[in-house]
Amino acid sequence: MNETERNLRADGLTHFDAQGRAIMVDVSEKAKTVREATASGRIRVSKEVRAAIENGTAKKGNVLGVARIAGIMAAKETSHLIPLCHPLPLAKCAVEFDITDMEDKTTDAYVIARATVRTTAETGVEMEALTAVSVALLTVYDMCKAIDKRMEIGAVHLDRKTGGKSGDFVR
């Protein structure tokens, strides 16, 4: 019996031991496999913010370029931000953006961020992909808040993941 099995509570909670103390799950006996996750989210922006992003006129610089780097850095730091999250050797982290009109064709638009993260490890990279998207969108907000503070971040979710014991997932 490994440490995880010894510490697994009767109610099935894996991040708490039998005494209710938080623990990091022991993944040392799991096989290293290729795992990949893609997450996405969006920020609603005004036509002024959209124009500043597309034309490169935001005072803080290249909004999507900086947000891309922020997202990649965040993925690499996920275990420092999320309690009990395992540090992982990331083989890939890509953050991409699309700008789309609102469904109702208003003057506002969405900046959509999508992050794909890959590793060969004992546990998955869903949290890294979600963290990358979240921080990328927060960076868009930070770089454009002088133009319009009404931006709204939302719809952050896991799109898909592959590998691991639980198998593949597609939203």
Side-chain angles (χ1 to χ4, degrees):
M1 180 183 309
N2 68 28
E3 184 180 344
T4 299
E5 291 166 336
R6 284 191 300 275
N7 289 329
L8 185 64
R9 290 173 34 148
D11 57 14
L13 297 176
T14 58
H15 284 74
F16 296 93
D17 67 13
Q19 290 75 39
R21 297 176 299 212
I23 60 167
M24 179 183 262
V25 173
D26 181 357
V27 297
S28 62
E29 294 184 19
K30 292 174 74 177
K32 289 184 179 183
T33 61
V34 176
R35 297 155 187 269
E36 185 173 283
T38 299
S40 62
R42 65 189 186 193
I43 183 167
R44 182 177 179 164
V45 299
S46 66
K47 65 180 180 179
E48 293 82 12
V49 170
R50 179 183 185 160
I53 291 170
E54 291 180 329
N55 298 327
T57 58
K59 289 184 180 180
K60 287 190 173 185
N62 179 340
V63 174
L64 299 185
V66 173
R68 178 175 289 108
I69 297 298
I72 293 168
M73 289 175 63
K76 292 166 53 174
E77 295 296 329
T78 300
S79 67
H80 292 114
L81 301 169
I82 308 295
L84 310 178
C85 194
H86 292 86
L88 296 174
L90 302 186
K92 171 188 178 178
C93 182
V95 179
E96 302 299 329
F97 298 95
D98 292 308
I99 300 177
T100 63
D101 292 324
M102 298 285 297
E103 293 87 2
D104 62 3
K105 305 293 184 198
T106 65
T107 58
D108 288 354
Y110 286 123
V111 175
I112 299 167
R114 185 169 295 103
T116 299
V117 182
R118 184 181 306 137
T119 190
T120 301
E122 301 88 350
T123 190
V125 287
E126 298 92 40
M127 294 310 301
E128 286 74 8
L130 289 162
T131 300
V133 164
S134 298
V135 171
L137 293 171
L138 286 168
T139 301
V140 170
Y141 186 97
D142 178 58
M143 294 190 71
C144 297
K145 68 184 182 232
I147 302 166
D148 185 1
K149 292 176 179 53
R150 294 174 297 145
M151 293 174 283
E152 296 177 12
I153 296 171
V156 175
H157 60 274
L158 181 67
D159 292 320
R160 67 177 185 80
K161 75 110 186 153
T162 59
K165 181 179 162 185
S166 65
D168 296 350
F169 166 82
V170 178
R171 184 180 167 94

